Amino acid sequence: MARRFQNYIDGKWVDSRSGRTFENRNPANWDEVIGTFPLSNKEDVEAAVKAARKAYESWRLVPAPKRGDFMRNVGDILTARKEEIAKQMTREMGKVLLETRGDVQEGIDTAYYASSEGRRLFGHTVPSELPSKFNMAIRVPIGVAAIITPWNFPMAIPTWKIFPALLCGNSVVFKPASDTPATATTLIEILLEAGIPPGVVNLVHGGGTEVGIGLVEHPDVDLVSFTGSTVVGKRISEIASKTLKRVSLELGGKNAQIVMDDANLDLALEGVLWGAFGTTGQRCTATSRLIVHEKVYDKFLAMVVQHAQKLRLGDGLKRDVDVGPCVNEKQRQTVDEYVKIGAQEGAKILTGGKLAKGDGLSKGWFYEPTVLGDVTPNMRVAREEIFGPVLSVVKVGSLEEAIAVCNNTAYGLSSSIYTQDINNAYRAIRDIKAGITYINSPTIGAEAHMPFGGVKETGNGHREGGWTVYDFFTEWKTVYVDYSGKLQRAQIDNVEK
Ligand code: NAD
């Protein structure tokens, strides 16, 4: 029998107040039920926020290095359980084991980084303009953080948010995606095992409108960290503005790899196959567009098509599989619709372009790795996020044109250029409008200690990862200590009369 999962609220594992549940199934074999989960509503949100508010008052007083010790424990437990979690994740959302192992590793790296940050959380000391006065700016926690996450990185993305939130002294209410609630539950179990006190983290399963919006609207939630689609991010931003919450939005992408005529084509080929079809193209940083210089277009496109055809589809737990299924039926339909739109707009389906059939594929949401040629920059398949194993290929005549095509989308997350010419590389770094630019490597593959995020409709200016995320989860407090024993008036007493 499938496991019955619960919410975690105020230090206890509980069902939803309504008793309603939802099921989660393996996208590679829809007969396999991963578990049933609480379908929560605003009452559950209320209880979780109340618990988080109460726990915040003691958690904020725990010294940051001590909070860092908890994070080190979390890293150790994740390391010990890496393989088991990776398998659970592959069963739950389909990407191949090699990649789910990487997803857990990102959580491990983030935990150890957070642990070390417990002994930094640097502020500033600055000279005062007045004698016998000391000025400093220190970081203080903010309060209750709502964490809302997507399904494509079920461990890494929650850890990017929850670990720094906790390290900075905030308490957390976590609403994971309904397609990956089991991995989210494992993460909470690990935080508890590592010693995080009851109520400091709370888990509420359920849908976006009931639980997600419920958290964003709640007056006692101080900040919202959201990763997901641009359409939902905009809605969250509107609602949160009514209570002036701090909101971090990490949203969609339409990332491009540029291949110049001087590129190492074998390297560029490996890059585009990994970038476009890794995680079945369901990464915010996936290579969704390939922009190729006309001098190498025919040769390189033939290489890409030939190798895309060799990719092996199947259950990500099997050793010889390169590409897993789409996460669910709706996502697969979206992919198929986009391929049809591309064909209607005049793109050529060079390989793939249909639901995958064959041995071991009949009960999963598989879609053939697809390459669309003759794509022009204004086609929808060249500008809109597809979030599936589809690569749109555009031909260009120069670096300037390549960069203009690359920038011709509402998004601005990741980008890449393959070239042997250092001048091309630096011009791309300067002129591409994106949060991330890779030189001679694919659009995917973030490192946990570097800032991560995008421009334009990919976000609202915050960054996850590295040192930058600690700015989001802390407030600056400016402190003046006057030890002169008399009234000193800034901008008045230090000006010569
Ligand atoms: P989604 O926006 O549908 O859902 C994300 C989360 O928001 C889920 O937990 C969902 O339940 C919740 N949600 C849905 N509607 C809501 C609402 N009205 N109010 C509050 N919460 C709501 O996205 P998804 O399908 O889970 O993920 C795919 C999207 O995420 C893609 O667009 C992808 O590019 C983006 N993404 C971005 C990044 C990044 O760092 N920029 C990383 C991964 C994924």
Side-chain angles (χ1 to χ4, degrees):
M1 242 220 354
R3 179 175 160 192
R4 189 172 129 261
F5 288 76
Q6 293 181 298
N7 288 333
Y8 183 76
I9 297 175
D10 201 12
K12 294 183 205 71
W13 291 100
V14 291
D15 293 330
S16 65
R17 299 290 200 273
S18 69
R20 291 163 67 212
T21 57
F22 67 93
E23 242 178 25
N24 187 25
R25 288 171 184 262
N26 181 344
N29 173 14
W30 55 57
D31 283 347
E32 186 186 338
V33 178
I34 308 290
T36 60
F37 298 83
L39 189 59
S40 312
N41 62 25
K42 292 200 173 149
E43 277 183 71
D44 305 291
V45 169
E46 190 60 43
V49 173
K50 198 169 160 202
R53 173 58 57 192
K54 188 174 71 179
Y56 168 67
E57 289 306 330
S58 43
W59 181 244
R60 72 186 175 89
L61 300 177
V62 174
K66 177 75 188 153
R67 296 194 295 252
D69 289 346
F70 290 122
M71 284 302 136
R72 195 181 54 243
N73 296 344
V74 171
D76 291 348
I77 301 169
L78 279 170
T79 305
R81 294 180 60 183
K82 180 173 171 178
E83 191 64 13
E84 167 219 331
I85 300 168
K87 285 185 176 149
Q88 177 186 49
M89 209 188 305
T90 295
R91 280 180 64 216
E92 190 169 45
M93 55 74 69
K95 67 185 175 189
V96 300
L97 203 48
L98 181 75
E99 294 187 61
T100 50
R101 285 187 191 123
D103 197 317
V104 184
Q105 186 58 45
E106 187 120 0
I108 295 167
D109 298 341
T110 303
Y112 291 134
Y113 189 96
S115 167
S116 68
E117 194 59 32
R119 291 191 178 271
R120 286 190 296 267
L121 277 187
F122 292 141
H124 297 273
T125 61
V126 182
S128 169
E129 62 188 42
L130 292 161
S132 301
K133 196 175 174 196
F134 186 84
N135 292 357
M136 61 186 156
I138 57 171
R139 291 173 185 275
V140 293
I142 299 176
V144 176
I147 307 290
I148 305 174
T149 56
W151 45 265
N152 65 339
F153 280 85
M155 182 58 73
I157 290 178
T159 69
W160 282 5
K161 299 173 184 299
I162 294 174
F163 295 176
L166 293 176
L167 188 280
C168 292
N170 306 288
S171 58
V172 162
V173 181
F174 174 29
K175 192 219 95 58
S178 324
D179 281 304
T180 49
T183 310
T185 305
T186 301
L187 175 59
I188 296 298
E189 287 167 354
I190 289 171
L191 285 164
L192 300 177
E193 191 185 335
I196 301 289
V200 172
V201 284
N202 299 272
L203 172 68
V204 186
H205 292 291
T209 26
E210 280 292 308
V211 181
I213 293 287
L215 284 167
V216 178
E217 281 176 339
H218 201 293
D220 233 7
V221 168
D222 301 287
L223 61 168
V224 176
S225 179
F226 171 81
T227 298
S229 58
T230 295
V231 60
V232 173
K234 286 183 178 175
R235 179 97 189 88
I236 286 178
S237 182
E238 280 167 19
I239 296 169
S241 69
K242 293 190 183 137
T243 43
L244 296 180
K245 285 181 179 47
R246 183 182 290 206
V247 181
S248 166
L249 302 171
E250 295 295 339
L251 310 174
K254 183 70 182 175
N255 317 289
Q257 175 177 318
I258 297 172
V259 177
M260 292 303 294
D261 49 343
D262 58 50
N264 174 336
L265 293 187
D266 292 326
L267 190 66
L269 175 66
E270 278 187 272
V272 73
L273 293 171
W274 178 231
F277 303 116
T279 316
T280 320
Q282 303 171 117
R283 289 193 186 213
C284 51
T285 53
T287 309
S288 186
R289 295 176 295 159
L290 177 65
I291 301 170
V292 189
H293 194 283
E294 61 193 9
K295 286 194 189 146
V296 291
Y297 181 86
D298 290 341
K299 179 176 177 193
F300 191 61
L301 192 52
M303 289 163 73
V304 172
V305 170
Q306 192 200 359
H307 284 82
Q309 283 165 346
K310 287 190 194 151
L311 293 170
R312 294 156 301 185
L313 278 177
D315 181 340
L317 288 175
K318 296 204 173 121
R319 192 179 280 274
D320 55 356
V321 165
D322 302 305
V323 181
C326 297
V327 75
N328 56 35
E329 177 58 13
K330 186 166 164 273
Q331 197 65 39
R332 182 165 75 162
Q333 268 173 16
T334 304
V335 170
D336 198 42
E337 276 162 27
Y338 265 110
V339 170
K340 291 193 172 108
I341 289 167
Q344 278 158 15
E345 286 179 312
K348 275 206 188 96
I349 302 173
L350 300 175
T351 184
K354 50 188 184 305
L355 314 195
K357 301 209 169 68
D359 275 357
L361 304 180
S362 62
K363 292 188 174 181
W365 289 295
F366 294 98
Y367 199 86
E368 288 187 359
T370 300
V371 180
L372 301 178
D374 291 353
V375 172
T376 54
N378 287 329
M379 289 182 184
R380 286 182 62 192
V381 290
R383 289 181 295 113
E384 296 176 20
E385 184 176 50
I386 300 175
F387 225 56
V390 180
L391 180 68
S392 301
V393 191
V394 183
K395 188 197 289 189
V396 291
S398 66
L399 178 67
E400 289 70 24
E401 191 184 348
I403 293 173
V405 171
C406 179
N407 289 341
N408 186 38
T409 157
Y411 301 105
L413 182 53
S414 187
S415 55
S416 147
I417 181 166
Y418 280 75
T419 179
Q420 302 296 317
D421 180 335
I422 193 161
N423 297 338
N424 284 343
Y426 272 92
R427 283 162 64 198
I429 293 168
R430 186 190 63 194
D431 295 337
I432 289 177
K433 295 191 181 103
I436 305 166
T437 296
Y438 290 92
I439 309 299
N440 291 325
S441 66
T443 58
I444 65 176
E447 297 185 27
H449 58 292
M450 293 292 283
F452 182 90
V455 301
K456 301 199 278 184
E457 294 206 356
T458 292
N460 62 345
H462 292 288
R463 289 290 180 273
E464 305 210 275
W467 61 95
T468 41
V469 73
Y470 292 87
D471 285 334
F472 179 73
F473 285 109
T474 50
E475 197 80 77
W476 283 107
K477 174 171 275 191
T478 304
V479 183
Y480 299 101
V481 182
D482 191 323
Y483 55 99
S484 68
K486 59 183 182 193
L487 173 66
Q488 299 197 89
R489 296 165 297 181
Q491 293 95 41
I492 296 173
D493 292 331
N494 59 342
V495 178
E496 273 187 48
K497 306 208 170 61

